[in-house]
Amino acid sequence: MKTVITRRPETFELVVERGFAAPPERLWRAWTTPEVARWWGPHGWRAEVHEMDVRPGGRWRYSIVPDAGDEPPVRCTAVYRTLAAPAELAFDDGLADEGGDGIAPGTAVRVTVAIEPRDGGAHLAIITRYADAAHFATAGPSGMDTGLAEALDRLATHLT
């Protein structure tokens, strides 16, 4: 199935969508358990989960590590805001702060993952909202759009 990327500059949102043959509950589990390490991140990188406390206010601390080891890992922290299994989860995500527990100033994005039943499987949409136009302008150069699309490719492979 094809991944669709939509930019909404008026609301500072990047939307990445894809259909899956798996039911919503299966997608929910892939997002909310350490299983996420099997598919999260772009091609050529792997995820390492350091903490995953899936509850409002809980943290998901992870690193994205290059397979080749030619670049340093990217350490990130997400803080869950809302959870409505198996339909939606929302969190603030960004580069880890110096202590590794919070989100570094100026890097946070608000992410909503919406999962809905469709065509005997599920449709997934990742809506990433940036703080302002300047922050939104970094989405393309940072590779956020293609990285999310590649992660969804990896998720599709993982689910089969």
Side-chain angles (χ1 to χ4, degrees):
M1 296 182 187
K2 183 179 176 190
T3 299
V4 177
I5 300 170
T6 306
R7 294 174 170 279
R8 299 178 182 158
E10 67 282 356
T11 56
F12 318 127
E13 291 176 330
L14 173 66
V15 182
V16 180
E17 301 175 83
R18 183 179 178 136
F20 293 88
E25 296 79 11
R26 181 68 184 95
L27 287 168
W28 178 264
R29 189 173 78 224
W31 272 96
T32 59
T33 68
E35 178 181 333
V36 73
R38 296 183 185 159
W39 62 269
W40 184 245
H43 296 298
W45 294 72
R46 62 184 164 75
E48 293 179 353
V49 175
H50 308 295
E51 175 184 8
M52 191 167 219
D53 182 9
V54 183
R55 64 179 173 82
R59 290 181 307 185
W60 170 27
R61 292 184 317 108
Y62 63 95
S63 295
I64 302 294
V65 181
D67 290 340
D70 52 350
E71 296 181 52
V74 178
R75 295 178 330 131
C76 300
T77 300
V79 179
Y80 294 101
R81 290 184 296 112
T82 59
L83 300 150
E88 184 176 291
L89 63 143
F91 50 91
D92 294 328
D93 191 16
L95 298 175
D97 63 12
E98 286 187 29
D101 292 332
I103 300 172
T107 69
V109 292
R110 183 152 282 186
V111 179
T112 301
V113 178
I115 305 167
E116 65 181 51
R118 191 179 292 173
D119 301 326
H123 180 266
L124 183 138
I126 304 170
I127 302 105
T128 304
R129 183 151 201 231
Y130 292 79
D132 54 36
H135 194 203
F136 179 70
T138 67
S142 72
M144 177 68 86
D145 49 2
T146 56
L148 286 172
E150 289 176 2
L152 294 187
D153 288 345
R154 294 178 66 190
L155 175 58
T157 299
H158 171 70
L159 292 174
T160 56

